[in-house]
Amino acid sequence: MDNFITHQNWRYATKKFDSTKKIEKADLDFLKEAIRLSVSSYGLQPYQILIIENPFVKEAIKNAAYNQSQITDASHLFVFANYVNFTAQHIDQYIENTAKTRKIDSQNIQGYGDFMKRTLLNQSTEDLNIWSAKQTYIALTNLVNAAAERKIDVTPMEGFVSDQVNSILDLNSKNLNAVLIAPAGFRALDDETQHLNKVRKASTDLFIEI
């Protein structure tokens, strides 16, 4: 069986982590690079990711996330936060980064920057926030898939009070809003959920081929 499918069958939403096991630096760097390489709309990556190992910060976030034990038992906690005020400056920074990366004059691609500004900045702030929040889900998918490749468990979570997490991490001052959190680490041996059959729709129920 293809390795990717094998890894997808191996992974599950871990309910109980082994708090004694930690993600090694090389593996953490691998996960970070996988997230960094995620696709995003226009390549803009309108978000930032906080990676939390500090036990006191994790405990505070646990209290804002209905006391879910995965948050404190996991090795690291990833917090995906979108920009809440996406502006022309973010596009200008992308254009400059593109020019630097590809060793070209930024003026040569300024037209593309202007196109993005016309397309995106004509939207309402609310619509832009929805758009940027959606991009974090794509980045989360790269984390989940990359972690499975290294036999690292990840549990994506939406069950937390965003305003409280924003306050704990001082995200408001950074123009950020917590959208998703994802504890990452290693499953406990006594987490019975790992032995359950994965429940998904049958292909005939899921796909419509035209």
Side-chain angles (χ1 to χ4, degrees):
M1 184 181 291
D2 183 86
N3 283 340
F4 181 83
I5 300 301
T6 299
H7 297 151
Q8 294 304 302
N9 278 306
W10 172 85
R11 70 149 306 275
Y12 72 108
T14 306
K15 304 303 180 186
K16 186 176 182 182
F17 284 89
D18 185 340
S19 61
T20 68
K21 293 184 178 180
K22 301 299 179 185
I23 299 173
E24 295 182 359
K25 183 181 184 303
D27 286 332
L28 184 62
D29 289 342
F30 175 78
L31 299 181
K32 289 164 65 176
E33 184 65 1
I35 295 171
R36 191 182 74 87
L37 294 173
S38 296
V39 298
S40 66
S41 181
Y42 299 102
L44 286 166
Q45 297 174 291
Y47 49 73
Q48 287 191 281
I49 297 93
L50 294 86
I51 304 173
I52 302 164
E53 192 174 5
N54 184 300
F56 300 104
V57 177
K58 289 199 293 184
E59 183 65 39
I61 294 176
K62 177 184 175 182
N63 292 331
Y66 311 106
N67 292 310
Q68 297 179 82
S69 62
Q70 297 100 314
I71 293 168
T72 47
D73 289 341
S75 173
H76 292 71
L77 178 67
F78 289 76
V79 178
F80 292 78
N82 70 306
Y83 293 141
V84 295
N85 185 24
F86 188 81
T87 67
Q89 182 179 2
H90 293 108
I91 296 174
D92 290 338
Q93 290 170 346
Y94 172 77
I95 291 297
E96 289 299 324
N97 188 32
T98 300
K100 178 181 178 181
T101 301
R102 296 179 176 171
K103 297 179 174 58
I104 58 176
D105 190 327
S106 61
Q107 291 301 314
N108 293 340
I109 53 173
Q110 193 57 55
Y112 182 50
D114 293 339
F115 164 76
M116 286 189 286
K117 290 175 183 177
R118 290 194 302 271
T119 303
L120 292 170
L121 301 183
N122 284 332
Q123 300 181 49
S124 68
T125 299
E126 180 182 3
D127 285 344
L128 278 174
N129 286 344
I130 292 171
W131 164 76
S132 60
K134 286 180 177 179
Q135 303 306 305
T136 66
Y137 287 82
I138 303 173
L140 170 70
T141 300
N142 262 35
L143 168 62
V144 171
N145 292 336
E149 184 174 318
R150 293 291 177 97
K151 292 294 189 290
I152 296 170
D153 292 290
V154 175
T155 302
M157 293 180 174
E158 293 179 302
F160 63 95
V161 182
S162 184
D163 287 344
Q164 293 181 22
V165 173
N166 290 344
S167 178
I168 293 165
L169 299 176
D170 192 28
L171 296 184
N172 293 328
S173 70
K174 300 177 178 67
N175 189 38
L176 294 169
N177 172 66
V179 178
L180 298 162
I181 60 177
F186 302 92
R187 63 190 65 176
L189 293 177
D190 60 349
D191 184 357
E192 295 298 328
T193 311
Q194 65 188 291
H195 303 300
L196 300 177
N197 290 334
K198 190 181 290 290
V199 179
R200 296 293 188 272
K201 289 182 177 180
S203 292
T204 52
D205 296 327
L206 183 61
F207 299 106
I208 300 173
E209 297 187 16
I210 301 172

